[in-house]
Amino acid sequence: MHNAFDIRAVLRQLPVRIESAVAYSDRLLLGTATGALLMYRVVEPTKDRPLNISLMETKKAFARKAIEHLDVIKEAGVLVCLADGLVTLYDLHSLSGATPLNNTRGANLVAVHTAVDYIDGIPTLVSKLAVHAKRKLVVLEWRDAEFYKSLEYSAAEKITAMQFASASLLVVSTAREFLTLQLSQNQWDDLFPADTASLRTVAAGSLSAVGNNGTGPESTSSPQPASSGGMWGSWGIGLSGSSTDVKTIIARMPGEKLLLCHEDIGVFINSAGKLCRQEYADPTLFSRVPTGITHTSSYVISISSDHGGSDTKTNVEVRNIGTQALVQQLCLTDETPMQVFNGSGGKHVWAVGRHTVWRLIPVPIQQQVEDVLAAGQYDEALSLVARSDSILESEKEELTVKIRWLRARWLFREQA
């Protein structure tokens, strides 16, 4: 283990209760329980200047009730606001021009995605917004920042979490299972069947394989349990227990991957909805049940409401995204964090409580590499160098060669 982040409480004892937050560019937006929206300007730290956050504007009557969720489609210049079970779109630059989406009444979940897609051979910037409202999904699409279309899809069960795996594939969870929706075909597929054991059993490797041997979704016109058998039995995933017992998270990860987490265990899937079994031979095992998950290029960061025993009071966990090894455990003081998210393409990590905002400031990458090498953790060092976005590509090859040489020398001495 080594220090990957330092914690700093950048906002304390706010007089209003925070319900949601989002960061983009040099802005931090906080949605409150009263419906007010707080806009902060963020000045990033340098060698000579610490991180600085200043309040720019307060919109007291931004929403009639609590702002439950905020999201940004930067490429389309859209701010997404979920309040009182209704999604409303605003101009991102002026925070005005409210456009309520009346077909999203009863909404409880929102997901966004932007990527370059080739349409008729022409590279096009495609942004999508998915909203779960009661028994349906509403998906809006923008092309090159211009609104293109809106479609609706029926959902047989209540959805508890969702994320885009790609522009054409939506991954969701219900109280019983993980599913995918192929948007272009309006087709629901079983990702993992509902009649398998819980994700806790996956870590023990005692589950039977699912449908197509755990390699990806098996197409069906409606979700049906898949048959068992096959070599990838330990990767069978299902949800057990009533909906009130199940805590599922679908978190976006680098490289167009998603981390599907149930209780304290998670697995990675790629943009096609297939298990990343070559990169991740085992499930990710968290020390405590996460209530929120985000990432940087090198790390998976999770928060929990459980501080643990009296000897180890922590509520933040940092894991190497490549090796899945536990890197650091931290404690956000003052209050329990309720949300963790990143900004600036995963470079900045924020955590939010009811009246407190923290920033996880990364330790310089050179120091981190030196620390893991000093501890003899050569595989960790190789993973850190390979995944870091703070090291120039021209320097990565040289560092990798040096670390491999150090590992070879250590192995030679061990065998001597």
Side-chain angles (χ1 to χ4, degrees), residues 192 209-210 212-216 229-235 257 267-270 273-283 324:
F192 307 112
V210 301
N212 48 0
N213 295 332
T215 58
M231 62 178 292
W232 283 95
S234 62
W235 282 98
K257 294 182 178 65
V267 295
F268 286 84
I269 65 171
N270 60 22
K274 296 182 179 180
L275 292 165
C276 302
R277 56 189 185 182
Q278 292 185 343
E279 295 178 68
Y280 303 98
D282 298 301
Q324 303 187 64

Side-chain angles (χ1 to χ4, degrees), residues 162-242:
M162 68 178 181
Q163 282 287 353
F164 283 95
S166 67
S168 59
L169 189 69
L170 194 65
V171 179
V172 309
S173 70
T174 68
R176 300 186 302 134
E177 58 192 326
F178 290 104
L179 305 167
T180 62
L181 172 60
Q182 299 181 41
L183 298 175
S184 59
Q185 302 176 27
N186 190 10
Q187 180 171 290
W188 288 97
D189 300 324
D190 286 329
L191 188 53
F192 307 112
D195 58 350
T196 59
S198 72
L199 275 175
R200 288 190 176 278
T201 315
V202 177
S206 61
L207 288 182
S208 298
V210 301
N212 48 0
N213 295 332
T215 58
E218 180 177 353
S219 298
T220 58
S221 57
S222 61
Q224 298 292 333
S227 59
S228 61
M231 62 178 292
W232 283 95
S234 62
W235 282 98
I237 298 171
L239 308 180
S240 64
S242 65

Side-chain angles (χ1 to χ4, degrees), residues 75-91:
E75 296 76 7
V78 173
L79 173 66
V80 182
C81 174
L82 170 59
D84 195 21
L86 177 69
V87 171
T88 303
L89 306 183
Y90 296 85
D91 179 270

Side-chain angles (χ1 to χ4, degrees), residues 50-87:
L51 177 72
N52 180 264
I53 295 182
S54 57
L55 181 63
M56 294 181 60
E57 186 178 2
T58 299
K59 289 186 172 291
K60 293 184 178 181
F62 192 75
R64 293 182 179 180
K65 293 189 177 181
I67 301 175
E68 304 165 29
H69 182 87
L70 290 169
D71 225 321
V72 166
I73 308 176
K74 186 179 177 181
E75 296 76 7
V78 173
L79 173 66
V80 182
C81 174
L82 170 59
D84 195 21
L86 177 69
V87 171

Side-chain angles (χ1 to χ4, degrees), residues 254-267:
E256 290 297 309
K257 294 182 178 65
L258 296 179
L259 178 60
L260 279 57
C261 183
H262 170 69
E263 295 185 345
D264 58 353
I265 301 176
V267 295

